[in-house]
Amino acid sequence: MITRFAPSPTGPLHLGHAYAAIVAHDMARAAGGQFLLRIEDIDRARSKPAWEAQIYEDLRWLGLRWDGAVLRQSERLPAYRACLEKLWAAGLLYACTCTRRDIEAAASAPQEGVPLGPDGLLYPGTCRARGAARPGQPLPEVALRLRMDLAATDGAFTETGPAHRGRPEISRDSMIRDVGDVVLARREMGTSYHLAVVLDDAAQGITHVTRGEDLFAATAIHVTLQRLLGLAVPVYHHHGLIRDDQGKRLAKRDDARALAKYRAEGATPEDIRRLVGL
Ligand code: GLU
Ligand code: ZN
């Protein structure tokens, strides 16, 4: 078993992160497996070395030791690029120059608002025809979207988390209708969260992905990509989210306290485990 914790160095770790890290760590240790660390720093504008250093410090303080070298997404751009080139040449991607405004204006029933997919506004497909690859055309340096109609297939994956335990089905129709042509490369990033996470989980040999249940819809995209790219599909374990007494997600609260703050106030790693209900 190989699990991972994959934080973005864009701010301090808080209780929700601690929970996710402990779940992944404990699952691997209980099985005599490996627990890996990946720094998801493709958002160059928001990622800061100081936050990355804080992640290492917080994990060490929590007593979570990771195996092997840390993988940083910022060092993986050539791998993302190679995959995009392949998908582009196969006609599975198209260039999209739409702004948020364009997407709103192109919606079939704008008065009802643009329907939402897992990444925000559901893309109406405006650029699908005009952005397609012409033979021999190099990868354009704009946003690239996946032709979901060509990419998605019916299938199931294995889920061990409490809310969806079993073999949740992914339907091609629903991927086309409810998810749409997701962005696989943002112009300024050379990749996207979905593409990077799928290629990195494969490169790190992750067998069990533990993540919050807020990412359940994203998992369907990831499994679709794994099948398309011929990658192994890991087992998924979606865990609950840490909430306060009012049911509000701790991670989303303005006053969500950084782990470092609990520590400065004298909390122990055992206190943190107790606070997150472990
Ligand atoms: N960087 C992502 C996060 O912290 C990784 C989660 C995932 O892909 O499972 O939410
Ligand atoms: Zn477009």
Side-chain angles (χ1 to χ4, degrees), residues 132-144:
R134 288 180 300 279
Q137 187 193 5
L139 201 63
E141 305 293 326
V142 295
L144 298 172

Side-chain angles (χ1 to χ4, degrees), residues 4 6-8 17 38 40 193 197 201 209-212 215 222:
R4 46 75 164 180
S8 296
H17 290 108
R38 178 164 81 229
E40 303 217 321
Y193 162 66
V197 83
D201 281 340
V209 172
T210 60
R211 56 166 49 147
L215 287 173
H222 302 170

Side-chain angles (χ1 to χ4, degrees), residues 121-195:
L121 302 180
L122 196 64
Y123 186 63
T126 325
C127 295
R128 196 177 296 136
R130 68 167 178 245
R134 288 180 300 279
Q137 187 193 5
L139 201 63
E141 305 293 326
V142 295
L144 298 172
R145 289 186 181 272
L146 178 68
R147 287 272 310 252
M148 194 56 85
D149 57 336
L150 301 179
T153 48
D154 293 333
F157 63 95
T158 303
E159 164 69 49
T160 61
H164 309 273
R165 195 184 307 277
R167 297 273 298 163
E169 293 286 341
I170 298 173
S171 98
R172 173 173 180 269
D173 288 349
S174 132
M175 291 305 288
I176 295 169
R177 190 182 57 237
D178 308 322
V179 177
D181 295 345
V182 291
V183 171
L184 287 199
R186 299 191 183 281
R187 188 173 52 84
E188 67 288 359
M189 274 183 195
T191 184
S192 68
Y193 162 66
H194 299 306
L195 183 70

Side-chain angles (χ1 to χ4, degrees), residues 98-111 113-115 121-124 126:
C98 293
T99 61
R100 189 190 165 86
R101 257 236 174 81
D102 296 333
I103 295 174
E104 280 166 353
S108 46
Q111 64 287 355
V114 185
L121 302 180
L122 196 64
Y123 186 63
T126 325

